[in-house]
Amino acid sequence: MLSKILSVGNKVELKKVANPIIDDLIEIGDSHKTYFSQIYDIMDDNRMKIGMPIEAGKVIPLEINFRYDCCFYTTNGLYQCRVVVVDRYKEGSIYVLVVEAITELQKYQRRQYYRLGCTLDIRYRILDKHEFDEFMQTPDKEEYANRKPMEKGVALDISGGGVRFTSEREHKKNDEMFLLLEINYDGDEKIYGILGRIISCEELKNKPGTYEYRVEYRNMQGGVREELIKYIFDEERKRRKRIIG
């Protein structure tokens, strides 16, 4: 079952299954925490090895016999099942959890993408209604967006569905924008021109005059989204390797 759908390297989210008896004995924040990892090996139709989660440079040794709801990011979409941790140990330089699937692997329809924390300079420009209509009808969208000066911002995290960034310019929720995201991927500089819409905005309390925005992508081509997702997963894998050594 597992080997037909999942692959080594697939990203995994683990969320502990609520247990009223045990949860009363631990911190609430820990009992509902989501951990991130990836598949290290698929042992058979029901068992797999995943790397122990790492946070702030520290390995998180999840407890044996605890159950977790897992979400797997595959090339064919999201899948989910429930697992139980049956073993944990160090294999070479990798800290490993052995988990056993205790429910069937099913397609997951959640419209959410894994977010990669980052610090990337971005450029963007807000489009008013007239500009937006012109923009949508213009073949060379990057050239059109660059006809006027662009604002500067700093991306705090990116995903296949959107970006969170800060800027010293104040904008409004539902503002349409064109943003340029520059990424260094496998030694190549790639620039993605993306249309987006602000879905939330707030002034930072600890930094007046700086605003944080969440933007969802609009009308993104499938190939661009897949490239971004692949970059995000590969970058996260590289970070894990650097931490583990």
Side-chain angles (χ1 to χ4, degrees), residues 15 26 31 44 58 87 99 139 148 151 181 229 241:
K15 188 170 185 179
I26 62 178
S31 65
D44 54 41
K58 296 182 179 180
D87 201 359
V99 300
K148 295 181 181 179
E151 306 289 353
L181 189 62
I229 291 174
K241 287 183 178 179

Side-chain angles (χ1 to χ4, degrees), residues 46-57:
N46 295 306
R47 291 193 176 198
M48 74 186 89
K49 298 177 184 178
I50 64 174
M52 290 187 195
I54 296 176
E55 292 185 349

Side-chain angles (χ1 to χ4, degrees), residues 147-190:
R147 290 178 187 176
K148 295 181 181 179
M150 300 188 74
E151 306 289 353
K152 296 180 179 179
V154 178
L156 303 179
D157 61 50
I158 60 174
S159 77
V163 59
R164 180 169 63 99
F165 76 93
T166 61
S167 170
E168 295 181 356
R169 297 290 186 179
E170 184 176 5
H171 308 297
K172 298 178 181 179
K173 183 177 179 181
N174 294 322
D175 277 352
E176 305 282 356
M177 68 165 54
F178 178 79
L179 63 92
L180 292 175
L181 189 62
E182 185 173 340
I183 290 175
N184 190 324
Y185 189 24
D186 288 339
D188 294 329
E189 293 287 343
K190 293 192 175 183

Side-chain angles (χ1 to χ4, degrees), residues 194-205:
I194 303 171
L195 183 67
R197 178 173 59 194
I198 296 175
I199 59 175
S200 73
C201 53
E202 64 176 330
E203 185 175 15
L204 297 180
K205 295 180 180 179

Side-chain angles (χ1 to χ4, degrees), residues 18-52:
N19 184 321
I21 297 177
I22 296 177
D23 288 351
D24 285 343
L25 303 176
I26 62 178
E27 296 291 335
I28 290 295
D30 292 336
S31 65
H32 298 281
K33 193 176 184 64
T34 298
Y35 299 97
F36 300 95
S37 185
Q38 66 186 61
I39 297 176
Y40 177 61
D41 186 27
I42 298 176
M43 304 169 70
D44 54 41
D45 285 343
N46 295 306
R47 291 193 176 198
M48 74 186 89
K49 298 177 184 178
I50 64 174
M52 290 187 195

